[in-house]
Amino acid sequence: MNKLGIYIHIPFCESKCIYCDFASFCCAEQEKDKYFQFLRKEIERCDIRGREVDTIYIGGGTPSCVEEGYLEEIIFTLKENYIFSKDMEISIECNPNSIDFEKLKKYNEFGINRISFGVQSLHDNALKTIGRLHTSEMALQAIKMAKKAGFNNINADLLIGLPNSTIGGLCEDAEKLINAGVTHISAYMLQVEEGAKLFSLVKSGKLILPSDDESVSQYDALVSFLEKRGFSRYEISNFALENFECKHNLKYWSGSEYLGFGLSAHSYLGNIRQANSRNFMDYYKGKISKEILTNEDMVEEKIMLGLRCRLGFSLKELSVLGYDITKNQNFQNFVDKGILKVEKGIVRLKPEYYGTSNYIIANLLP
Amino acid sequence: MDKLERTRNFCIVAHIDHGKSTLADRLIERTGTLAKRDMQAQLLDSMELEREKGITIKLTPTRMKYNYNGEEYILNLIDTPGHVDFTYEVSRSLQACEGAILIVDASQGVEAQTLANAYLAIDNNLEILPVINKIDLPSARPEEVKAEIEDIIGVPAGHAPCISAKDGTNIDSVLEMIVKEFPSPKGDKEGKLKCLIFDSYYDNFKGAICFVRVVDGRVKQGDKILMMQTGKTYEVTEVGYFVPNMKSCEALEAGDVGYIAASIKTISDVAVGDTITHLNAPCDNALAGYKKVQPVVYCGVFPVDGAKYNELKDALEKLKLNDASLEYQPEVSDALGFGFRCGFLGLLHLEIITERIEREFNLDIITTAPSVYYKVHKTNGSVIEISNPSDLPSPVEIEYIEEPVVKANIFTPPEYVGAVMELCQNKRGEYKGLTYLDKSRVRVDYVLPLGEIVYDFFDSLKSRTKGYASFDYSMAGFARSELVRVDVLLNGEKCDALSLIVHKDDAYSRGRVLTEKLKKIIPRQLFEVPIQAAIGNKIIARETISAMRKDVLAKCYGGDITRKRKLLEKQKEGKKRMRRIGSVEIPSEAFMTILKLDNDE
């Protein structure tokens, strides 16, 4: 049986960033206590206990802003209910401002072996504009501290297309991060989500973002810069030195099984996708939404996820699900134009077209 | 007094918005035809769209009773449409009447359609009763308007009632005048049956209903009737009149206006203008009847979702049931797939029909640019008529082309004469004359190509005269013209649905505006897309849409794959609204934009 991934959601933050529309809240300690109690119960109640697990990802919110004791308890509870694989990857998301050397040492002792820092930018003006609580200096310090505390697998998140950002500035940030010792960079294009504060700021003209074309130019420049520094793109937004790819995230993209615990967490088992509520009340009541995937849904996911990754998708796995994509005229068109590459039955998107992958994927769906 | 002598058949004609339907409402109310609680504003306008737009489209007859000098009179009112597109319907109703009330707005005075409709009534030998409406307005100038009527139309107006249909002022004097001024119908109720069908309507239960004016004789339930033009025979199932809803009665006699139902299955079996007589005792001669109505504006109508072709076909069939003037035939476009080429009486008619398809049948449709019909004289001596730009033969096969022209009368305050003339010159008009009607009103006469009028003439005229000018036209045959077809090429491929026929002098500017508009509306594609306008092989304008660079989903966070998939599915659904020309995707709206080219650019 395949090894499972487990996602743990920590929905707490010290403050909300202007672009965020995730389930995260600035809450009192009591609420946190209640949450972690319930989270442990949720893990214990799960009916597929005993499976082997090889990745755990503690995300948020900001996991580093809660007392480390909570996290220790959660990892302990997981260990009691699941078999931990020898090559276990345990990741945690941290903000540079809510971390110190002692905390990082403890994380290491709990068995956490991968740290992901929400750096976003190394330009202090930009950090302030988007509501981050740390400075660029704090971010670089945090990375160095993590190394000192024993971590050798460190990611930094960067945002592309921030206000006043430039190609040069972005590559400069990447250079500094690499020098500080990161082994992995996630670079996401800033999305203006309707639920986020950014939406109204942009709509009212109070904040001006670079155009789509500029963002894509930044992205393209970053990709070639990182490739030169040995960071290869294994997913549309993810770059790693060899063997430092995030095993947990790869599970999402390759269609492997995973469990999610906590507010708004998602699970994928068999052909069922399931999500907890993003509202505390409903979450505590155990409200979930469930979707049983049809073959067509699975085909769509394989195309969508595969083309965003270096992995691609195989013609065979689609035809097993009943979709002969080679009969799709758009597919042939894209192959003829060199937008798609087919090698040994594996279909991959040519890297130049990652920026317009949506358009291409939508044209390939059954 | 004989019933015939106590009957008055009349219609109301006016320029649009001068208050026809409001006066009709008042007359119905004052004669007690309907209880007050059943009254609703403009009750003769039964279509939702009619009430909303404040216009009358269909004819609606009503029978009213009115006591005058101790006698009960029967007044049959036929409300008529005021818009120029429906002039044809007005002229039909006039043949069923002996008198016409000519309403003139007390502040606006005589307008283009006042004149056109008055002449129609005079041509039909109707007695004309001018009525000055809207005297409640502060700007009302009834005495001047009376003088205008006498000067411009040449109808005595000294005795014209001055009323306010809105407030109900002086409605009784109108009723009195109807009785006193209008002649009673002539006719022989003992004679052989002779009825004029002046309109028809499809009722789901009773079948096609004929709206008739009985000229001679008497018709009742059970009679065997013959339609003299179509030769079809039926048995009458019901006769009656309108109050304004249908009310059955024992019989209709000479002089009456009413309806005949005879289990007629399709409306196309009822030819408006036909004469109904008894099968066993037919009259000697049919009535003169009407000319067949000829559409003047054509456009392609296609479903946005190609799979809904049959639904569109059903919708058109149903609309045709009550609108004999709508014409359509199947059309196939490379760009838009299967659809219909439809013919309309004018732009308003086009707008009404397309809006009804979308509203009443819930169908999303694409309409192509409106076009008129052209007579193409080919070098081989043959002449073909085309209404679809893509049917135009190649230039080498064309000897010359003729386009339809109209006689246009424009009424305008003197300060806008220059603007109006400039517009007409720009629209390739041929100046015919200028008449100063009084100190505030000038009539400008032009012969204009119909193709220019269907394009954006109304809007330009309104904007150049701040809405003060009014306009009417009548068809005036064909004129030879230097016309060319402008094609649009997307990425080098011709898009038939975007082709236009224009005068060669306008081709460059239209081509330029067209490519600019398309550049704005066609989304960026994976590759660069040139948009070209061409006459034959000659490129006259070009724009380029640069390649799309960003269309990418946010990160797949925390394993929420479902949301991402849903977003992509939505994007895929959106593609159904897109049309493909070669490898270029075009949103449906693009086809509409060429309807809205602003010629002043």
Side-chain angles (χ1 to χ4, degrees), chain A residues 7 22 60 93 188-189 191 193 212-213 216-217 220 236 252-253 258 266 273 291 293 297 300-301 304 308 330 334 339 354-363 365-366, chain B residues 491 523-527 546-573 575 578 580 582-585:
Chain A
Y7 175 77
F22 297 132
E93 290 181 342
Y188 301 109
M189 288 204 198
Q191 297 278 333
E193 303 283 353
D212 281 2
D213 283 7
V216 174
S217 300
D220 287 345
I236 211 160
Y252 296 150
W253 306 327
Y258 52 86
H266 291 253
R273 289 203 179 278
E291 185 189 28
L293 298 185
D297 293 338
E300 290 181 356
E301 290 189 354
M304 168 178 94
R308 288 163 63 93
N330 294 328
F334 290 144
I339 294 168
Y354 273 28
T356 50
S357 55
N358 247 11
Y359 176 88
I360 293 155
I361 293 164
N363 269 296
L365 300 184
Chain B
N491 205 24
R524 294 162 77 179
Q525 322 266 317
L526 277 182
F527 43 88
S546 55
M548 176 208 309
R549 298 208 50 199
K550 186 180 170 203
D551 184 5
V552 60
L553 284 180
K555 60 176 174 175
C556 289
Y557 183 81
D560 183 2
I561 308 293
T562 303
R563 182 163 160 233
K564 305 282 173 281
R565 197 181 70 238
K566 295 269 157 31
L567 285 171
L568 279 171
E569 283 170 357
K570 216 165 132 192
Q571 190 165 356
K572 187 182 89 176
E573 275 309 299
K575 289 193 174 298
M578 300 286 244
R580 218 169 233 282
S583 49
V584 182
E585 285 179 333

Side-chain angles (χ1 to χ4, degrees), chain B residues 54 62 164 168 203 212 214 275 299 309 318 326 350 396 430 437 454 458 468 510 524 547 581:
Chain B
T62 307
S164 163
D203 183 284
V212 296
V214 185
T275 305
C299 80
Y309 172 81
K318 289 201 177 104
L326 169 68
L350 183 157
V396 291
E430 188 189 326
L437 302 169
V454 302
F458 287 104
Y468 281 112
R510 294 265 176 104
R524 294 162 77 179
I581 308 298

Side-chain angles (χ1 to χ4, degrees), chain B residues 442-463:
Chain B
V442 181
R443 191 174 103 195
V444 186
D445 296 332
Y446 264 90
V447 169
L448 284 162
L450 179 64
E452 296 289 345
I453 289 174
V454 302
Y455 185 57
D456 62 356
F457 188 81
F458 287 104
D459 292 343
S460 299
L461 182 67
K462 288 284 168 210
S463 70

Side-chain angles (χ1 to χ4, degrees), chain B residues 376-384 393-401:
Chain B
V376 182
H377 296 257
K378 296 173 75 170
T379 43
N380 66 10
S382 64
V383 181
I384 55 168
S394 85
V396 291
E397 291 175 51
I398 300 172
E399 179 81 39
Y400 64 94
I401 306 174

